[in-house]
Amino acid sequence: WGGKKEVVEYPGDMGTACRAWDKDVHPLCKTKNPPAFCNQKWCYVDPCECDMLDIPKVSLYLPKASHSGKHLYYNYDTCGSKDTFTKKYNKGACFNQRTQEGCEAMLKPDGGAKCGWTGSHCLGFEMLNNPLCKRTAMKYGKRFHRIHSAAAPRHVVLPAAAVIAAAIAM
């Protein structure tokens, strides 16, 4: 993909349920040997309610979209898949920034902060600063590496109307 920008059409309900949304749609997924992420299921989640081991990441596909005052966040773990996309293909993801300087330099299209630094990791700004995400900020702040309890993970998949409205609001 290497910085190449290409317009592709995803369905209007993209991210509202666990599906391999990129399969046969993303340009790399139309190649003879598509990368692993093409067959991985993912969905958009509320970062304040997602209690998965794999941290939700700010959407690359809809960078100007928001829901309840937060960016759209995607997660593979919620759908039982491994995130093989973010590290290699979403270099601008907060999660990929390894220094405080790099993290704080990440900006939204409107110039506002995209990312926030926990002291050891870079996460989506809202996960650390939105009042609705207090529990999430504590979880990912100082206790980032701690093993989570064996209780069932919490996650909230955003409804279709929320994603469609966010896309229209761009």
Side-chain angles (χ1 to χ4, degrees):
W1 216 18
K4 180 181 173 188
K5 294 193 181 228
E6 187 173 331
V7 176
V8 295
E9 288 189 32
Y10 280 84
D13 63 345
M14 174 183 70
T16 59
C18 290
R19 289 191 202 148
W21 293 100
D22 296 307
K23 187 176 184 174
D24 300 323
V25 178
H26 190 287
L28 291 176
C29 299
K30 294 179 178 182
T31 62
K32 184 177 179 180
N33 296 308
F37 79 84
C38 297
N39 293 312
Q40 300 298 319
K41 294 178 181 178
W42 62 271
C43 66
Y44 288 122
V45 297
D46 182 332
C48 301
E49 297 295 328
C50 189
D51 203 15
M52 306 306 289
L53 291 176
D54 183 36
I55 295 173
K57 285 92 174 175
V58 177
S59 174
L60 173 68
Y61 296 158
L62 299 169
K64 294 181 183 180
S66 65
H67 176 67
S68 299
K70 301 179 288 280
H71 283 99
L72 290 181
Y73 284 74
Y74 65 92
N75 189 276
Y76 287 83
D77 197 23
T78 299
C79 301
S81 294
K82 182 177 171 151
D83 181 355
T84 58
F85 174 78
T86 304
K87 189 173 185 177
K88 184 172 183 178
Y89 300 102
N90 188 2
K91 298 287 187 190
C94 300
F95 188 74
N96 286 333
Q97 308 314 306
R98 298 292 176 224
T99 65
Q100 181 174 355
E101 295 75 27
C103 178
E104 293 173 351
M106 302 301 295
L107 301 176
K108 296 188 292 188
D110 68 4
K114 175 181 173 183
C115 305
W117 187 250
T118 68
S120 61
H121 291 83
C122 187
L123 303 175
F125 185 79
E126 296 92 355
M127 291 177 71
L128 301 175
N129 295 290
N130 187 303
L132 300 174
C133 294
K134 284 183 183 178
R135 185 179 64 84
T136 305
M138 287 177 46
K139 173 184 167 184
Y140 291 124
K142 296 178 184 169
R143 297 179 291 146
F144 185 80
H145 288 293
R146 187 171 296 182
I147 301 298
H148 300 7
S149 71
R154 294 177 59 212
H155 62 277
V156 176
V157 176
L158 296 179
V163 176
I164 292 169
I168 294 170
M170 287 181 23

